[in-house]
Amino acid sequence: MQISSVNDVKIYNLSYGKSLPEWLSDRKKRQLQKKDVDIQRRIELIQDFEMPTVCTSIKVSRDGQFILAAGTYKPRIRCYDTYQLSLKFERCLDSDVVAFDILSDDYSKLVFLHSDRYVEFHSQHGYYYKTRIPKFGRDFSYHYPSCDLFFVGTSSEVFRLNLEQGRFLNSLQTDALENNVCDINPIHHLFATGTSEGRVECWDPRVRNRVGILDCALSSLPEGAEYVPSLPAISALKFNGSLTMAAGTSTGQVLLYDLRSNQPLLVKDHFYSLPIKSLHFHDKLDLIVSADSKIIKIWNKDTGKVFSSIQPQTNINDVCIYPNTGMLFTANEDPKMNTFYIPALGPAPRWCSFLDNLTEELEESPESTVYDDYKFVTRKDLENLGLSHLVGSSLLRAYMHGYFMDIRLYHKVKTMANPFAYEEYRKDKIRQKIEESRTQRVQIKKLPKVNKELALKLMEEGDDEAELASRKKKGKALPSILGDDRFKVMFENPEYQVDEHSEEFRLLNPIVSKVGQKRKKKLRLLAQQVAADEEEEEPEGRASSEEESSDDDKSWVEEVREQRRLLRQEDRDRQRQRRKEVDRNTVLQPQFYQIKAGEEFRSFNDMARKQRLQKASLEDRLKLEEHTGTSNMADTAVGSKQLTFTLKKGERRHHGPLKTFLIDHGSHGKFKARHNK
């Protein structure tokens, strides 16, 4: 369960958290519930309250006992019983459901509008009847007094299907090219349809005449708008009482109308420019619940002030409010259907009344979201403290790229790992104080401990008279890298030490460090002076005077070639050494083969015989085949081979003629002759 607060309104997401796999055994599930905190806090109101892939629409029956949801893939309808808190039945369909409605108080009479123009009727036992409408439908409404179904879609006509007579009646002809949504007023049964041109047409079903047209497109545009990217279409429509109507547009506005006026009472903008998908009225608190694919906004219908808002992690397809409660369901672009409970809107439903007690306890003892008693540590900190074995235990709580651990445990382990930490800290503080006091004195050129060669070059460049003159001409006092605090760590932290033995440095150094003879002499003199003052040795990696003098005679191109040659030679030496180690570690083991009983070891004789046979001529090989009794071959007129088999004298002869076989050119192998008695 996830708790959020918007405008001081608590919202409980009851579907948040991990879901246990169905294939786990009961024992495994109990073990996971004991170990995992998220699973312990998980609240599963209705078992298997989800779809295989996506849920498109969701509704609650009028008696409040059944929740029906349509989804895909495969297209199906699922019915959940709130009294049993489980799935009651599931029915698979032939195509996706565009819209569906419940005609009875329970689930016994259902109507489905499919994406392939079919209208399917289901009764309590299952499928009942199917018919087809002339055009693709987008929405429909049921008129209870006349038992008429009004279908709107990609046509200017509104198709009427009478369920009492079982036939289509005359259609209603509108002025629109397409109709997106429709609704019927529950009080005086006024039928309204929202068009793709941004109009709402109202019809009287008793006389089948249009009684009015409402232009919502112009009213939804903000004042002073000069450019309109697209014409706002009506994407949602909802009646409340006898005089109130709300219309949602495809550009993200909700217009609230009084049927006696053609001007909207209020225009509410979602500011996401997404089509409004659902509209609901909350009469007790005078609120309107409007939703697009990104957010659900709850606002006052008189002032337009936002009461609260819900923003799920996935896109929204439909919203359904459980009647007279503070619970609402959402159909999302996700297998799981979300369940939200807002105590400020109303009490929990009767079948989950324990939610009221649960939320009251949570409000009395709110959880602390600030970890004052915990210390955040990374995995590297755990390795330094020797606590890597605690990963996965209850002493560490994973968070982002590290873990939270108890501050008392952290201080205790820190003291045991480094008992002299305070003394080191005290010495560092004293050293910092002394260095701060030295900054007020006259600065003397001092080489840093890290990257001494680089510091020498930068000092020389900073003291160059020509460079100073160029700076004065430009009128800019360019800061030196040594005096810039942004690069201070480069000369203090040993991790930034230039590796002169790396391949990149050896290839780039001849180009970067090729300077004139005067600069090299100045750098050597300065290094000797600093070394004499501080009694330090020559910096490591610094070339001697003889090496530098010899390097000056060569060009940087030759130096790069030489470095490449040395790198290739070192690579070959490493590979040769690696092969020697592999050969040294490899142990040759002889392999023995066992000759089975009854067999002769004649591999050498066979090889010698085969070699002699290959060297023999064709005539000798044919004579050898005739001597051993191999069959003779002769060509026939049809391009095949005729084989004649000759039996040896020692074999038993059978009476009867010898059969002749015809075999194709590509056939090979041994053949057996059959005799007919």
Side-chain angles (χ1 to χ4, degrees):
M1 182 173 63
Q2 185 185 35
I3 305 173
S4 59
S5 178
V6 180
N7 291 345
D8 295 331
V9 177
K10 291 290 185 66
I11 301 172
Y12 298 89
N13 186 357
L14 305 179
S15 302
Y16 184 82
K18 300 179 180 178
S19 57
L20 293 175
E22 297 180 357
W23 43 267
L24 286 181
S25 61
D26 295 338
R27 183 180 178 182
K28 289 285 186 181
K29 291 180 180 179
R30 288 193 298 268
Q31 290 178 356
L32 286 176
Q33 290 176 355
K34 291 179 181 179
K35 295 180 181 179
D36 201 328
V37 180
D38 295 336
I39 296 178
Q40 292 176 2
R41 295 182 178 180
R42 181 178 58 93
I43 297 177
E44 189 176 9
L45 286 182
I46 302 175
Q47 189 178 4
D48 299 332
F49 195 61
E50 58 184 12
M51 282 288 171
T53 307
V54 172
C55 181
T56 56
S57 55
I58 185 170
K59 291 183 183 295
V60 179
S61 61
R62 286 196 292 271
D63 59 2
Q65 183 180 354
F66 303 100
I67 302 172
L68 288 99
T72 190
Y73 177 82
K74 300 178 179 179
R76 66 191 66 208
I77 182 75
R78 284 185 173 181
C79 178
Y80 298 91
D81 191 346
T82 57
Y83 292 172
Q84 303 296 330
L85 300 178
S86 61
L87 179 66
K88 186 173 182 64
F89 66 83
E90 177 185 16
R91 299 172 185 172
C92 290
L93 306 173
D94 294 335
S95 58
D96 292 333
V97 176
V98 177
F100 77 96
D101 198 2
I102 307 171
L103 304 184
S104 59
D105 293 338
D106 54 3
Y107 67 92
S108 58
K109 294 180 181 178
L110 305 175
V111 182
F112 300 97
L113 175 61
H114 292 281
S115 58
D116 56 355
R117 294 193 290 144
Y118 275 103
V119 180
E120 192 170 330
F121 298 89
H122 283 222
S123 61
Q124 189 171 6
H125 67 273
Y127 169 79
Y128 180 75
Y129 183 72
K130 182 191 291 187
T131 186
R132 203 171 192 183
I133 57 177
K135 299 290 183 179
F136 290 97
R138 294 178 178 173
D139 195 10
F140 70 93
S141 296
Y142 180 63
H143 188 235
Y144 283 91
S146 62
C147 297
D148 287 343
L149 279 174
F150 292 87
F151 296 95
V152 297
T154 58
S155 173
S156 60
E157 294 181 320
V158 178
F159 305 107
R160 295 193 303 150
L161 176 61
N162 188 273
L163 301 184
E164 184 180 7
Q165 302 178 22
R167 63 187 182 94
F168 283 95
L169 304 180
N170 292 333
S171 303
L172 304 179
Q173 184 65 41
T174 64
D175 294 339
L177 295 177
E178 294 179 351
N179 295 280
N180 295 330
V181 290
C182 62
D183 194 22
I184 295 179
N185 192 292
I187 305 299
H188 48 69
H189 304 291
L190 181 69
F191 174 73
T193 174
T195 67
S196 58
E197 290 83 5
R199 295 189 181 93
V200 176
E201 297 190 10
C202 298
W203 295 73
D204 189 352
R206 297 172 297 180
V207 294
R208 299 186 300 280
N209 290 331
R210 184 170 55 206
V211 295
I213 298 179
L214 200 60
D215 194 351
C216 302
L218 295 177
S219 302
S220 63
L221 298 177
E223 296 181 1
E226 298 179 356
Y227 173 72
V228 180
S230 61
L231 184 64
I234 305 299
S235 58
L237 203 61
K238 189 70 175 179
F239 281 104
N240 181 42
S242 57
L243 298 176
T244 307
M245 182 188 70
T249 64
S250 60
T251 54
Q253 292 86 22
V254 179
L255 293 84
L256 191 64
Y257 282 94
D258 190 313
L259 294 181
R260 297 168 292 185
S261 173
N262 60 355
Q263 295 298 325
L265 300 176
L266 184 66
V267 178
K268 182 66 177 178
D269 197 342
H270 274 216
F271 297 107
Y272 284 104
S273 300
L274 298 173
I276 304 298
K277 292 194 172 184
S278 176
L279 288 172
H280 293 278
F281 286 88
H282 195 278
D283 296 329
K284 289 185 178 181
L285 300 179
D286 293 333
L287 300 175
I288 295 179
V289 182
S290 58
D292 56 21
S293 60
K294 189 176 184 65
I295 194 172
I296 303 172
K297 286 195 174 183
I298 307 172
W299 46 280
N300 190 283
K301 69 177 183 179
D302 297 326
T303 61
K305 184 179 179 181
V306 176
F307 178 77
S308 185
S309 62
I310 304 172
Q311 191 167 358
Q313 297 179 354
T314 55
N315 291 341
I316 304 169
N317 290 328
D318 192 14
V319 177
C320 175
I321 298 179
Y322 197 91
N324 302 321
T325 64
M327 181 174 289
L328 56 91
F329 307 100
T330 61
N332 315 304
E333 289 288 327
D334 191 66
K336 186 179 292 186
M337 294 178 283
N338 289 338
T339 304
F340 296 96
Y341 176 51
I342 307 175
L345 294 182
R350 185 175 59 180
W351 48 272
C352 58
S353 57
F354 62 89
L355 289 177
D356 291 330
N357 299 330
L358 182 62
T359 54
E360 289 176 1
E361 293 177 0
L362 291 175
E363 291 178 359
E364 291 176 359
S365 58
E367 291 186 359
S368 177
T369 56
V370 181
Y371 297 100
D372 295 331
D373 300 332
Y374 289 87
K375 171 71 176 177
F376 181 80
V377 292
T378 61
R379 187 175 287 273
K380 186 177 181 180
D381 297 337
L382 291 176
E383 292 177 357
N384 296 334
L385 295 174
L387 298 179
S388 302
H389 62 281
L390 295 182
V391 176
S393 64
S394 58
L395 298 176
L396 296 178
R397 179 178 296 180
Y399 183 77
M400 294 179 66
H401 62 283
Y403 304 90
F404 276 110
M405 65 182 301
D406 194 286
I407 191 68
R408 297 170 295 178
L409 177 62
Y410 175 77
H411 287 314
K412 187 175 181 180
V413 176
K414 185 76 173 177
T415 305
M416 296 175 62
N418 191 1
F420 304 102
Y422 177 73
E423 292 296 332
E424 295 177 359
Y425 171 77
R426 182 171 172 272
K427 291 179 181 179
D428 290 339
K429 281 294 182 182
I430 295 173
R431 191 181 300 109
Q432 290 178 7
K433 290 290 184 181
I434 295 173
E435 290 177 357
E436 289 177 1
S437 62
R438 285 177 177 174
T439 55
Q440 301 175 359
R441 304 177 185 177
V442 179
Q443 297 292 330
I444 302 175
K445 288 185 178 180
K446 182 180 179 180
L447 290 176
K449 297 180 180 180
V450 182
N451 290 327
K452 293 182 180 181
E453 278 196 27
L454 180 60
L456 287 174
K457 293 181 182 180
L458 294 175
M459 287 179 183
E460 177 64 22
E461 291 177 359
D463 295 338
D464 194 355
E465 296 179 357
E467 189 173 357
L468 291 175
S470 64
R471 290 183 184 179
K472 290 180 180 179
K473 289 181 181 180
K474 294 179 181 178
K476 296 181 181 179
L478 299 176
S480 175
I481 295 180
L482 291 173
D484 198 339
D485 294 337
R486 295 176 297 175
F487 303 96
K488 183 172 62 175
V489 185
M490 188 170 61
F491 302 100
E492 295 178 356
N493 194 346
E495 294 182 0
Y496 290 92
Q497 177 66 42
V498 177
D499 186 9
E500 298 182 358
H501 300 286
S502 62
E503 181 179 351
E504 293 81 3
F505 182 84
R506 293 173 63 180
L507 292 177
L508 295 176
N509 189 46
I511 304 174
V512 177
S513 65
K514 192 66 178 177
V515 293
Q517 190 70 20
K518 295 181 180 180
R519 177 173 293 180
K520 281 185 173 288
K521 291 181 180 179
K522 289 181 180 180
L523 288 176
R524 286 198 302 271
L525 292 174
L526 182 60
Q528 292 174 2
Q529 182 180 358
V530 173
D533 293 340
E534 299 185 359
E535 296 181 358
E536 293 181 356
E537 297 180 357
E538 190 178 58
E540 296 181 2
R542 183 70 177 171
S544 62
S545 59
E546 296 180 0
E547 293 176 350
E548 290 182 356
S549 61
S550 62
D551 290 341
D552 292 338
D553 298 335
K554 300 180 181 179
S555 64
W556 63 270
V557 177
E558 295 178 356
E559 291 182 5
V560 173
R561 291 176 179 174
E562 181 66 19
Q563 292 295 334
R564 287 180 178 173
R565 187 187 64 79
L566 292 176
L567 289 173
R568 288 194 294 268
Q569 182 64 29
E570 292 175 1
D571 192 14
R572 287 194 294 268
D573 294 341
R574 284 195 298 268
Q575 293 180 359
R576 192 180 300 109
Q577 185 67 22
R578 193 181 298 111
R579 284 196 295 268
K580 288 181 179 179
E581 293 179 357
V582 171
D583 295 340
R584 191 183 303 113
N585 297 330
T586 304
V587 179
L588 297 177
Q589 296 181 358
Q591 297 182 358
F592 299 95
Y593 297 92
Q594 181 180 3
I595 301 176
K596 297 181 181 179
E599 295 184 357
E600 296 180 359
F601 188 70
R602 52 184 181 181
S603 60
F604 296 106
N605 297 331
D606 292 342
M607 289 296 297
R609 184 176 56 82
K610 289 180 180 179
Q611 291 179 359
R612 289 196 304 271
L613 186 61
Q614 290 177 357
K615 294 180 180 180
S617 62
L618 179 61
E619 182 180 1
D620 297 338
R621 278 184 281 177
L622 291 176
K623 291 180 179 179
L624 181 61
E625 290 178 358
E626 292 178 359
H627 178 70
T628 55
T630 308
S631 59
N632 297 326
M633 293 185 293
D635 293 334
T636 60
V638 295
S640 300
K641 294 288 185 178
Q642 179 178 350
L643 277 72
T644 304
F645 292 85
T646 305
L647 296 177
K648 293 182 180 180
K649 296 181 179 180
E651 296 181 359
R652 183 179 177 183
R653 297 181 179 274
H654 296 275
H655 297 282
L658 185 64
K659 204 168 184 181
T660 303
F661 296 90
L662 293 176
I663 302 168
D664 295 338
H665 278 291
S667 300
H668 300 282
K670 299 179 180 180
F671 302 90
K672 296 181 179 180
R674 295 182 180 178
H675 300 81
N676 296 331
K677 295 182 180 181

